[in-house]
Amino acid sequence: MPAATDSNLFRQLGLKHPLIVAPMAGGPSSVELTAAASAAGALGAMGGAYSNAAAIEAFADQVRQRTDKPFSINLFIPHSIPDVAADRLARAAEATARYRQELELPPPRLGAPYEEDFDVQFEAVLRVKPACFSFVFGLLSAEHVREAKKVGIPLIGTATTLEEARALEDGGVDAIVLQGFEAGGHRGIFDAGAADPEIGMRDLLAQCAGTIRVPLIAAGGIMTSGDIRAALQAGAQAVQMGTAFLACAEAGTSAPYRRKLLEASERRTRTTRAFSGRFARGIENRFMDEMDGKPDAILPFPAQNKFTRDMRGASTAKGLPDFLSLWSGTGKGELWQGSTAALIDRLFGE
Ligand SMILES: Cc1cc2nc3c(=O)[nH]c(=O)nc-3n(C[C@H](O)[C@H](O)[C@H](O)COP(=O)(O)O)c2cc1C
């Protein structure tokens, strides 16, 4: 057993490498990717945000059939239910009518709830008892923190500013992912409607190292062993990498998404609210280009996420990247298409 006094969370967890293969909800974080990452000595992570309790438990069972190594589960902190007025929904429907026609979809129907019930998901996490529970988009309530601590699940929050990191530390987390502006996927900003602080990973790490006492995990644009070394030297105890693993053999990344990721080594990305109503970074495509010019036709998160789900699904089914959220960070270079274990070995010099 690792020593309980060890201040390094990642040694405590018995990891061989200070790496979290990012939780990537919506497909990429397959059972196979999560298990392969953990089996190779990193921390694999389930992106459970869009999964109900039964799916979270089934996923964990399947990971455990493949490896006895630790893995984590990640969820989205819930949002207050946005008020989607009829005229707003009509604008969103009108702006997307042409796309739904092209995709041979019926007109949209939208109603609450817009996301899974967090309390029910969280109860499943407590039953599964993963090695860690991580979350994004805000603070975990004191009650949830107490419940996780009672069963001994370490907590990892996500911050995009020093202020968010301070609030997470005060809230009792065991480690903090510092998510830089370079990161692929949703920005972890607490306030879904706020402007993006746009702080890069290195600046955020420099602001937090020495100020925040809990272990820091650097995320955003980390692609190589040199990037990992630099983040560790700058005060991170570990790194979290998403984009670099998206084309790995085990990743659940869909065929049209993979194609776009591999099309060019210099992926043109930017942040957009078009897909979900929250800022997220992805490869530029037609939906983003056309919808970004119509902010009034984009619903608040998470309503927009539910509103675009049928289009994203149909786009995937047709093999079309035009209406897909192609989440990707700013990191350059050809993506690794071999096994997850081989990528981890390369990153850590074996
Ligand atoms: C496809 C994709 C999905 C993501 N989904 C989640 C998620 O469900 N939960 C979360 O905390 N972070 C999510 N992220 C963000 C990652 O945790 C991490 O911050 C990011 O991947 C780091 O930047 P990088 O992609 O440049 O490595 C996602 C990232 C990607 C690329």
Side-chain angles (χ1 to χ4, degrees):
M1 278 292 282
T5 51
D6 192 338
S7 66
N8 188 309
L9 178 67
F10 302 93
R11 273 200 305 268
Q12 273 184 50
L13 292 172
L15 302 185
K16 190 167 161 201
H17 304 301
L19 165 68
I20 301 175
V21 174
M24 295 187 278
S29 285
S30 59
V31 165
E32 290 77 11
L33 178 66
T34 307
S38 289
L43 189 68
M46 175 201 189
Y50 307 131
S51 306
N52 64 21
I56 290 171
E57 290 186 84
F59 189 103
D61 278 350
Q62 291 172 51
V63 172
R64 283 180 171 144
Q65 281 163 25
R66 288 164 171 79
T67 180
D68 60 359
K69 293 286 192 284
F71 64 93
S72 108
I73 298 182
N74 173 273
L75 294 177
F76 292 173
I77 296 297
H79 293 68
S80 51
I81 299 171
D83 182 20
V84 179
D87 61 328
R88 240 182 129 175
L89 183 56
R91 270 201 304 275
E94 193 189 318
T96 54
R98 195 152 52 94
Y99 310 142
R100 286 200 163 80
Q101 218 169 33
E102 279 181 46
L103 292 164
E104 300 169 274
L105 288 168
R109 291 174 49 190
L110 184 74
Y114 303 120
E115 57 187 349
E116 291 293 331
D117 183 325
F118 180 83
D119 287 335
V120 176
Q121 290 177 312
F122 190 76
E123 278 163 26
V125 171
L126 293 177
R127 285 193 295 277
V128 166
K129 208 169 171 307
C132 270
F133 171 67
S134 72
F135 55 93
V136 69
F137 299 160
L139 298 173
L140 194 59
S141 76
E143 179 61 27
H144 288 120
V145 171
R146 258 195 310 278
E147 286 176 33
K149 298 222 172 214
K150 207 159 69 192
V151 294
I153 305 175
L155 299 172
I156 303 180
T158 308
T160 61
T161 62
L162 173 60
E163 293 69 36
E164 290 178 352
R166 280 208 177 102
L168 286 164
E169 181 172 46
D170 292 345
V173 299
D174 298 281
I176 299 172
V177 172
L178 297 179
Q179 191 201 44
F181 189 49
E182 303 88 345
H186 278 109
R187 302 277 291 129
I189 305 163
F190 285 12
D191 180 351
D196 193 321
E198 300 188 3
I199 305 171
M201 183 271 286
R202 278 160 200 268
D203 287 343
L204 186 56
L205 187 53
Q207 289 171 24
C208 294
T211 306
I212 301 294
R213 290 173 308 275
V214 297
L216 301 174
I217 303 157
I222 298 173
M223 304 295 282
T224 64
S225 45
D227 296 339
I228 296 174
R229 249 190 329 272
L232 298 180
Q233 274 162 8
Q237 240 183 43
V239 296
Q240 177 156 301
M241 297 168 66
T243 301
F245 286 86
L246 277 173
C248 279
E250 295 91 343
T253 312
S254 71
Y257 184 3
R258 243 173 223 274
R259 212 170 55 240
K260 287 299 282 185
L261 284 163
L262 297 170
E263 202 171 78
S265 62
E266 309 258 314
R267 292 163 288 276
R268 284 169 52 98
T269 69
R270 69 165 192 269
T271 58
T272 180
R273 281 188 154 128
F275 291 101
S276 73
R278 244 187 183 281
F279 283 124
R281 180 177 292 280
I283 299 174
E284 293 174 352
N285 67 355
R286 181 175 157 206
F287 189 71
M288 218 178 187
D289 287 345
E290 296 179 4
M291 291 302 294
D292 280 350
K294 301 174 193 162
D296 290 348
I298 297 174
L299 303 173
F301 185 92
Q304 180 75 359
N305 203 42
K306 187 170 181 185
F307 181 75
T308 63
R309 187 163 291 143
D310 61 338
M311 290 184 280
R312 288 181 280 124
S315 196
T316 304
K318 286 183 183 292
L320 255 186
D322 290 357
F323 307 99
L324 272 182
S325 46
L326 303 164
W327 300 151
S328 173
T330 59
K332 308 245 176 289
E334 272 176 39
L335 296 183
W336 180 256
Q337 296 180 68
S339 74
T340 300
L343 176 54
I344 293 173
D345 282 353
R346 269 167 68 107
L347 290 170
F348 291 91
E350 287 172 33

